[in-house]
Amino acid sequence: MALSREAIVEQLQKIAGPEQVITDEQVLKENSHDRYRKLQSVFGIYALPLPAAVVKLTDVEQVSAVLKFLNENKINCVPRTGGSATEGGLETIVENSVVLDGSGMNRIIKIDADNMLATAQCGVNLEVLENQLRAQGFTTGHSPQSKPLAQMGGLVATRSIGQFSTLYGAIEDMVVGLEAVFPNGQITRIKNVPRRACGPDIRHVIIGNEGALCYITEVTVKMFTYQPENNLFFGYALDNMKTGFAILREIMVTGFRPSIARLYDAEDGAQHGFDQFAEGKCLLIFMTEGPKGISRATGEGIEEIVARYDECRKVNTQIIENWFNHLNWDPSKVQAERDFMRKNLNLGFTTEVSGNWSCINTIYENTIKRIREEFPHAEDLTMLGGHSSHSYQTGTNMYFVYDYNVVNCAMEEELEKYHVPLNAMIVEETLKAGGSMVHHHGIGKYRTPWTKEEHGSAYYILKALKDVFDPNGIMNTGTIYPLK
Amino acid sequence: MKIVVCFKTLADYPMLTERDWRVDEQHQVDLAWVRQVYNCYDESALELALQLAHDGPDAAACETTALSIDDSRADLFLRHLYAVQYDRAVRIDCGEEVDLRFNPLAVSLLLASYIREIGGQQLVLIGSEGGMGDNRQTGFLVAERLGWPCIREVIDVVPEESRECLCVTSRREGAVLTQTVGLPLVLVIGNVLRSPYLRVPTLKEKLAGKKKQVLVLSPTDLAIAPDNLSGNDRTLVGLFRQRQDRQCVMLAGENAREKAKTLYHQYLAERLKG
Amino acid sequence: MKAAMVMHADADILLQAAELNSLLAGPADHLDSLEMWLLYHEKPPENIPRFAYPLAAIRLLQVDAPDVPEAVLHVLQQIQSNRKMDMLLFCSDGLGQELCTRLAYRLGGSSALTVERCLVVDATIAVERPVYGNNLMARIRLELRPYCLSVAKKGKGSPLEATRDTAFFETVNLPPLQIDWLKAWAIEVDEGESALAAAEIVLAVGNGVQSRENMQKMQVVADTLGAEIGASRPVVMSAWSDMNRLIGMSGHILSPRICIAAGVSGAGVFRGGIRNSRFLVAINTDKQAAIFEIADVGIVDDLFAVLFELESIVRKATAQNDAVAAQERQNGD
């Protein structure tokens, strides 16, 4: 028989200590969701089942004991650290779930400058780690917009990516070794070695598991030399996204690796005030970094390639540098957004997808066209556009951005009326063209209807992971894997 | 009722760092590369006017005008104001040579002339701060030039019940003042709590706004000779960044508790006693 | 040069006087005479500030409608036409600013508001005042007489001493102005304001506080420290704090003994409000935050973590002191 709410709390208190088990209603409410339900939370609406408790985790043995207990009693849990997720991955959709909060495990364990390895517990805020590294002349190379909020565990669990990915790669390229705990209490450590050929790369079972397979307690990432004095910025206005994609491709294929390579459409660019300098234009942005010679050579290469396209006009680099310096979300920006949402009933969402060079422009054009023509509440849209911000040898991503006024609609119905159908159109157009439906936010709980289609015949492998590692289905139910 | 809101856009100052504040020999700061935003008081004024005009029962009888004295960079904002349903968007362009930063007399002359000669509005809303010069005088001077009454530090305005008058709420030192007043009138807008931000236009409205023409006027169109603009009661003789005298001591410590301890024992314990 | 200070008895005239007094330092040597024009509504004040400069006269001006600047301007115009001052100094509040601007216009003089310094250079008056969102200071020469200046707010500082010597008092009777556009009015007093303005210890809270609930937690910290809470514009505009708690160029300009600025990035307009604090502590997670530029002591950390620790330290210390005091009292008996 399932344990009662009270019994769950009581048992958790025995395992973790009474002070570590929080049942304060406000805390439970805040831990029942993530930024997916941002408008509702602004109005104090918490529609999901509240978790039975939030457990403030302190060490790996305790994580193991707690998971073992939850597994034996088939109690669903939601692993959580910084809480900046956007796709519902942190929502407690099952009655009497337990939120496993690792934010208190926030020790930087080792900065190993010899081997260029930085080891941190799951609750270490990326910005804290990054600042410590920078003070010693190093960087993680990881800089997602959520850097001031996000913590190492969550960043790895969601396969996050940062603004400098084109040079440094995404989190999966940075993680060297890991420690994770599986639902049966098994603690696993993957050692830190530069490379090996000892069977499949098992790190990839853990990286991107979104709390649906295991709990990440410790992460070791690569360190890079920090030399911002060599950073160079470049900006170009142009008429068409298609040209922009072609330029991005040429730069990547020729062999240049700027740290930032972005392409904004006119609508999205206006959100950053670029319309004030190039009204109605798309914008290409590059930053090069690294050793002076490489940074300069990369910059020259970019300039040479762009010069071949008559459509492009150079933009004052100060504008680009200033944009770059104010890119991140900090708590005050999140607050300003909340205040604006409340007063203006206007909010925005993003959906990020990827595609090979041959289909990315099709994805962009078809998606925008379809939303304009088919979305039944298009008259409430206040913004619709997007940008590409992470390029690869073989293709790039597309980050769709859309804002809307909430009109004639209860707060509880806002997502169903607006975000859900918009998100669906983007995902469908992407899959149809042969791209991937999620580039870097994780599947969360709302893109699961397409998980099988995304993976096709390889879903067999994905499903096997769940069957083997979480046979009782207690790990973040409804995330990555569709609810049965 | 015809309403005009006079607004300025400003460089988004918090985006600037210490090294960006460089003043040249002509007392100019190059901010051309910095993104512009509405002055926050003007933004409140712009929204307040829309609510006064459109959300009441006499919406059809109201006409709203947004007016700015600026170069063509302001057109983007003026078309944005068309998109949020301003009826008219007007820009007065004085050319590059005229420096109006520290000349509220000239600014008020241009605004008052427009209102008297062309616009014919009876209600003027204007933010309390002004442009880069932070002169804080333009609203008062517009009232003087028009010979109209003026209310400062306004935080709200709604039609009075009979709709003959306006009910204006303003802040005073240590008090809130509510006045029922007739037109014509100049309102200098302060911290509007109820609706500090401008509404967001839909894509359709933005598209329609982009197609509308901003009315651009020169001083000559307002029957103002260029000499009249260069006259000023003051002259800028220096513009400089103030040196900060304090040297901030950063407290180190393992964690917040350590830092709080140091703060208390080394710096606050004695001072708290007074 | 003849100068008059225009003050109004409704506000604290000793504080107004302290601000105006500081402005006089520059032109003092060039003053032939200095008068005070004191506006009042019903009853003239009993206490008059004692200035560092001898007053040639104190003229009492009664106004019917003190909340209608047009009525006050009418009175000032008349007295100036008799007295013909070269310089008129106005208070730092909204009324002072409005009167300064409009009277200068009517008299054909020069005006400037938020004046931090007044200088005499080659027999002309120059002022320094903050511009560009308090990021730069401008020096401006005033070209036309009378020079009308409204002083910048300085915060509480030390009010001037009062004197009851009313020997110079001269009541000026002037015909009032008919106001027909004002149909009705009501005024409601706002309590919180004076508490912050007079505070010796201020906890200045910015956007980093993140919510109304957290703001209430800040109140607990403030109570233990014996501090009054002030807030930045974003906090006030989010309605986490009352408007009368606003710190900055358009709110309170303070000069407390201790100011703790927590979670404020330090935009120019905000910094202007606490710059004159005698001891300034800044707490912010961003070590690049501009607030550290004007702080004596800085802490890079989470504001809640630091302030809750500080609160607990101060609470324990206070309890200890109370216990010691109680013990001493007992021993004394």
Side-chain angles (χ1 to χ4, degrees):
Chain A
M1 206 184 94
L3 286 184
S4 70
R5 204 173 167 85
E6 293 71 25
I8 294 171
V9 171
E10 196 179 310
Q11 290 298 317
L12 286 171
Q13 284 175 336
K14 275 189 196 153
I15 298 166
E19 285 184 0
Q20 303 309 116
V21 181
I22 315 292
T23 54
D24 174 78
E25 196 184 335
Q26 190 56 34
V27 175
L28 297 183
K29 280 179 176 170
E30 280 160 16
N31 279 275
S32 69
H33 73 104
D34 56 28
R35 285 176 48 75
Y36 185 77
R37 291 177 193 258
K38 51 188 176 181
L39 182 69
Q40 295 182 18
S41 77
V42 162
F43 286 94
I45 298 167
Y46 298 94
L48 296 166
L50 294 189
V54 175
V55 183
K56 299 287 233 180
L57 301 167
T58 55
D59 58 74
V60 67
E61 279 76 24
Q62 186 203 53
V63 177
S64 166
V66 169
L67 276 176
K68 202 157 180 270
F69 158 73
L70 297 174
N71 192 40
E72 281 164 6
N73 293 283
K74 297 192 167 60
I75 300 161
N76 181 58
C77 68
V78 178
R80 182 179 177 113
T81 51
S84 60
T86 54
E87 305 300 323
L90 301 179
E91 290 186 355
T92 52
I93 57 168
V94 177
E95 287 289 341
N96 293 345
S97 292
V98 174
V99 172
L100 301 181
D101 179 357
S103 63
M105 294 173 69
N106 57 5
R107 207 154 48 82
I108 296 175
I109 293 169
K110 193 174 182 188
I111 294 176
D112 175 355
D114 190 16
N115 296 308
M116 299 298 270
L117 298 170
T119 304
Q121 286 186 309
C122 58
V124 169
N125 168 233
L126 175 59
E127 185 159 272
V128 169
L129 177 63
E130 177 68 18
N131 287 345
Q132 276 209 21
L133 288 178
R134 284 188 186 180
Q136 301 176 37
F138 304 110
T139 174
T140 58
H142 200 46
S143 184
Q145 204 173 29
S146 61
K147 185 172 87 175
L149 311 169
Q151 299 171 0
M152 296 309 286
L155 287 163
V156 174
T158 52
R159 274 180 85 85
S160 70
I161 200 166
Q163 290 142 359
F164 313 133
S165 70
T166 308
L167 177 62
Y168 296 100
I171 195 79
E172 70 273 16
D173 302 305
M174 299 166 171
V175 170
V176 184
L178 292 148
E179 179 187 74
V181 186
F182 284 78
N184 60 2
Q186 176 75 43
I187 300 171
T188 60
R189 290 185 66 87
I190 299 177
K191 66 181 176 182
N192 299 322
V193 289
R195 205 251 169 193
R196 56 179 165 171
C198 305
D201 193 337
I202 48 179
R203 291 177 295 188
H204 290 288
V205 174
I206 296 168
I207 301 170
N209 87 82
E210 298 187 40
L213 299 175
C214 60
Y215 196 100
I216 300 167
T217 48
E218 187 189 299
V219 181
T220 299
V221 290
K222 295 174 191 170
M223 286 157 48
F224 297 90
T225 307
Y226 185 55
Q227 36 204 342
E229 63 278 8
N230 299 334
N231 292 359
L232 297 173
F233 295 89
F234 304 87
Y236 307 91
L238 67 168
D239 296 321
N240 300 297
M241 288 294 277
K242 196 172 180 182
T243 315
F245 287 125
I247 294 172
L248 284 178
R249 180 187 174 278
E250 194 173 338
I251 285 169
M252 295 304 292
V253 170
T254 309
F256 293 110
R257 288 295 176 268
S259 59
I260 293 178
R262 283 191 180 222
L263 171 64
Y264 279 94
D265 73 3
E267 271 287 318
D268 196 10
Q271 302 224 104
H272 299 271
F274 294 140
D275 54 339
Q276 295 183 18
F277 309 101
E279 197 183 349
K281 299 278 186 183
C282 304
L283 202 80
L284 268 169
I285 292 174
F286 300 97
M287 178 169 106
T288 66
E289 58 176 292
K292 199 168 195 162
I294 290 185
S295 180
R296 198 191 297 152
T298 308
E300 283 166 7
I302 289 168
E303 294 219 272
E304 217 168 275
I305 288 171
V306 177
R308 291 204 285 272
Y309 294 82
D310 293 341
E311 205 180 306
C312 297
R313 183 175 61 77
K314 200 166 164 84
V315 172
N316 183 345
T317 52
Q318 261 184 307
I319 297 166
I320 308 301
E321 199 172 343
N322 198 260
W323 159 84
F324 170 73
N325 287 332
H326 295 88
L327 205 48
N328 281 343
W329 279 90
D330 57 19
S332 73
K333 272 195 196 169
V334 173
Q335 279 317 316
E337 187 201 18
R338 284 171 66 88
D339 187 42
F340 188 85
M341 274 192 281
R342 187 157 43 94
K343 292 216 159 101
N344 283 41
L345 282 184
N346 177 281
L347 73 158
F349 274 96
T350 58
T351 299
E352 20 63 70
V353 301
S354 68
N356 295 338
W357 295 120
S358 58
C359 69
I360 195 70
N361 191 57
T362 310
I363 292 173
Y364 171 72
E365 283 182 0
N366 289 358
T367 301
I368 298 282
K369 183 164 178 279
R370 181 164 165 203
I371 292 175
R372 284 201 187 129
E373 286 173 2
E374 291 181 25
F375 179 54
H377 309 292
E379 73 278 10
D380 299 335
L381 288 177
T382 58
M383 194 266 154
L384 172 64
H387 62 263
S388 155
S389 42
H390 309 276
S391 281
Y392 309 88
Q393 183 73 4
T394 56
T396 189
N397 82 313
M398 191 62 220
Y399 199 91
F400 289 98
V401 183
Y402 38 98
D403 297 353
Y404 47 81
N405 286 327
V406 179
V407 183
N408 297 331
C409 159
M411 291 304 144
E412 292 86 342
E413 289 153 18
E414 163 258 326
L415 286 163
E416 279 300 321
K417 179 171 175 181
Y418 298 102
H419 173 54
V420 170
L422 288 165
N423 184 63
M425 287 182 192
I426 297 167
V427 168
E428 285 166 14
E429 289 306 314
T430 304
L431 290 173
K432 198 160 68 186
S436 170
M437 66 160 179
V438 185
H439 178 259
H440 64 263
H441 285 173
I443 292 177
K445 293 194 171 69
Y446 297 94
R447 276 186 255 184
T448 52
W450 300 278
T451 305
K452 286 179 188 164
E453 190 182 342
E454 167 73 27
H455 286 280
S457 61
Y459 185 71
Y460 169 74
I461 306 170
L462 193 73
K463 183 166 179 305
L465 292 174
K466 185 77 173 170
D467 293 344
V468 169
F469 293 121
D470 182 24
N472 292 341
I474 65 148
M475 297 302 290
N476 208 358
T477 299
T479 305
I480 299 182
Y481 301 90
L483 280 172
K484 283 178 190 123
Chain B
M1 180 168 55
K2 291 171 89 174
I3 309 173
V4 61
V5 185
C6 311
F7 75 96
K8 279 297 288 180
T9 63
L10 296 171
D12 194 357
Y13 296 137
M15 303 271 279
L16 294 164
T17 58
E18 184 66 38
R19 70 192 167 104
D20 297 325
W21 290 106
R22 283 182 304 237
V23 184
D24 69 15
E25 281 170 8
Q26 278 74 49
H27 308 309
Q28 296 286 347
V29 190
D30 178 16
L31 298 175
W33 54 277
V34 187
R35 151 186 176 171
Q36 300 280 116
V37 293
Y38 289 105
N39 172 302
C40 60
Y41 299 97
D42 293 342
E43 181 175 358
S44 300
L46 286 162
E47 175 61 26
L48 205 53
L50 284 178
Q51 294 187 5
L52 187 64
H54 293 170
D55 300 347
D58 300 340
C62 282
E63 184 201 87
T64 49
T65 302
L67 171 63
S68 193
I69 305 172
D70 211 331
D71 59 26
S72 58
R73 270 183 81 179
D75 285 353
L76 201 69
F77 289 85
L78 286 157
R79 286 197 297 272
H80 180 254
L81 291 168
Y82 270 134
V84 292
Q85 307 303 306
Y86 266 83
D87 300 307
R88 287 162 198 272
V90 183
R91 180 164 63 81
I92 302 175
D93 198 325
C94 299
E96 278 174 23
E97 311 80 48
V98 186
D99 184 358
L100 293 174
R101 288 177 300 164
F102 303 97
N103 195 349
L105 276 177
V107 171
S108 61
L109 175 65
L110 290 162
L111 298 177
S113 303
Y114 167 79
I115 292 161
R116 204 164 28 210
E117 307 296 330
I118 296 177
Q121 292 89 356
Q122 303 93 37
L123 179 63
V124 183
L125 271 66
I126 184 163
S128 60
E129 221 169 38
M132 289 171 281
D134 293 343
N135 297 305
R136 298 165 177 264
Q137 294 185 294
T138 307
F140 301 141
L141 291 172
V142 168
E144 282 297 314
R145 288 192 183 274
L146 292 169
W148 294 359
C150 173
I151 302 176
R152 68 175 187 277
E153 293 171 78
V154 170
I155 55 172
D156 206 355
V157 52
V158 289
E160 188 243 7
E161 270 172 37
S162 70
R163 316 202 60 82
E164 303 282 300
C165 296
L166 295 174
C167 185
V168 179
T169 313
S170 57
R171 284 199 72 83
R172 290 294 172 264
E173 303 282 307
V176 173
L177 177 66
T178 311
Q179 292 168 300
T180 307
V181 289
L183 296 175
L185 186 63
V186 175
L187 300 179
V188 180
I189 306 299
N191 289 304
V192 179
L193 260 187
R194 186 165 60 90
S195 52
Y197 314 112
L198 199 53
R199 59 193 60 186
V200 186
T202 65
L203 287 176
K204 214 167 129 190
E205 289 167 335
K206 276 195 231 178
L207 211 62
K210 277 188 187 141
K211 288 183 188 146
K212 290 193 180 170
Q213 278 292 317
V214 171
L215 175 63
V216 181
L217 299 170
S218 70
T220 325
D221 295 328
L222 303 171
I224 298 172
D227 281 359
N228 274 344
L229 287 182
S230 49
N232 194 352
D233 64 340
R234 66 198 80 176
T235 308
L236 179 71
V237 291
L239 190 61
F240 50 94
R241 180 88 172 156
Q242 262 193 318
R243 201 168 46 84
Q244 303 296 349
D245 296 333
R246 300 183 200 227
Q247 281 295 326
C248 184
V249 179
M250 286 294 181
L251 300 189
E254 268 292 293
N255 50 36
R257 172 172 295 180
E258 297 280 301
K259 292 174 198 167
K261 270 188 188 161
T262 313
L263 174 64
Y264 178 75
H265 292 295
Q266 288 189 18
Y267 297 98
L268 289 187
E270 282 305 309
R271 287 188 172 88
L272 281 170
K273 287 179 193 156
Chain C
M1 197 158 60
K2 294 199 301 179
M5 296 177 292
V6 181
M7 301 171 60
H8 44 101
D10 287 348
D12 185 336
I13 60 168
L14 299 183
L15 287 179
Q16 292 177 40
E19 289 181 336
L20 290 172
N21 202 40
S22 70
L23 208 55
L24 287 170
D29 293 343
H30 302 264
L31 288 184
D32 302 318
S33 79
L34 178 65
E35 299 188 358
M36 182 198 296
W37 297 354
L38 190 52
L39 301 157
Y40 70 96
H41 179 36
E42 275 161 355
K43 203 163 83 172
E46 289 173 3
N47 290 333
I48 298 297
R50 197 194 295 277
F51 279 88
Y53 314 93
L55 288 187
I58 296 171
R59 301 183 199 283
L60 296 175
L61 311 174
Q62 189 169 16
V63 279
D64 282 351
D67 290 314
V68 183
E70 282 77 4
V72 185
L73 284 166
H74 175 72
V75 168
L76 291 175
Q77 255 179 299
Q78 293 179 66
I79 181 165
Q80 169 66 5
S81 71
N82 295 331
R83 302 296 311 154
K84 301 198 170 37
M85 293 288 146
D86 301 301
M87 179 151 82
L88 294 165
L89 303 174
F90 293 84
C91 302
S92 63
D93 60 6
L95 180 61
Q97 297 189 346
E98 180 168 358
L99 294 177
C100 176
T101 306
R102 299 179 70 178
L103 193 64
Y105 178 82
R106 291 184 188 191
L107 301 173
S110 291
S111 64
L113 311 184
T114 61
V115 174
E116 301 228 329
R117 231 148 67 91
C118 174
L119 312 145
V120 180
V121 185
D122 301 333
T124 61
I125 293 281
V127 298
E128 288 182 1
R129 53 181 306 272
V131 296
Y132 281 85
N134 200 32
N135 286 294
L136 295 175
M137 189 65 80
R139 182 177 283 193
I140 290 163
R141 189 174 66 226
L142 301 183
E143 307 287 3
L144 306 167
R145 288 182 194 222
Y147 311 117
C148 298
L149 314 182
S150 161
V151 62
K153 269 188 212 167
K154 285 264 164 46
K156 152 177 70 56
S158 324
L160 290 195
E161 267 180 56
T163 167
R164 284 171 175 276
D165 181 2
T166 52
F168 294 115
F169 275 27
E170 178 196 332
T171 305
V172 185
N173 288 310
L174 297 164
L177 178 78
Q178 290 301 316
I179 302 287
D180 53 1
W181 52 273
L182 182 61
K183 317 290 179 201
W185 62 276
I187 193 151
E188 207 174 305
V189 177
D190 203 340
E191 289 298 337
E193 195 122 37
S194 51
L196 177 58
E200 279 290 318
I201 306 171
V202 171
L203 178 58
V205 183
N207 230 341
V209 72
Q210 296 178 31
S211 71
R212 178 173 264 277
E213 292 72 37
N214 289 340
M215 202 67 197
Q216 286 159 2
K217 294 178 191 161
M218 288 295 103
Q219 189 61 56
V220 177
V221 176
D223 290 346
T224 305
L225 295 174
E228 286 290 331
I229 287 203
S232 68
R233 190 168 193 271
V235 169
V236 170
M237 297 317 268
S238 301
W240 302 334
S241 185
D242 291 337
M243 185 56 78
N244 57 26
R245 296 278 160 183
L246 176 66
I247 293 178
M249 299 304 274
S250 63
H252 288 278
I253 309 269
L254 302 169
S255 55
R257 192 167 80 233
I258 303 173
C259 176
I260 301 177
V264 275
S265 55
V269 282
F270 179 83
R271 290 205 308 251
I274 56 167
R275 198 181 48 199
N276 298 328
S277 303
R278 274 166 281 164
F279 187 74
L280 183 52
V281 182
I283 307 170
N284 202 299
T285 47
D286 177 8
K287 71 170 193 296
Q288 306 293 342
I291 192 72
F292 291 122
E293 288 167 22
I294 60 160
D296 294 295
V297 168
I299 294 181
V300 179
D301 211 318
D302 177 58
L303 74 100
F304 300 109
V306 176
L307 287 177
F308 292 157
E309 286 296 341
L310 183 65
E311 196 263 346
S312 126
I313 295 170
V314 174
R315 190 157 30 81
K316 280 179 200 150
T318 315
Q320 222 162 36
N321 288 344
D322 290 350
V324 171
Q327 190 67 44
E328 278 169 2
R329 267 202 307 278
Q330 226 162 37
N331 293 348
D333 295 340

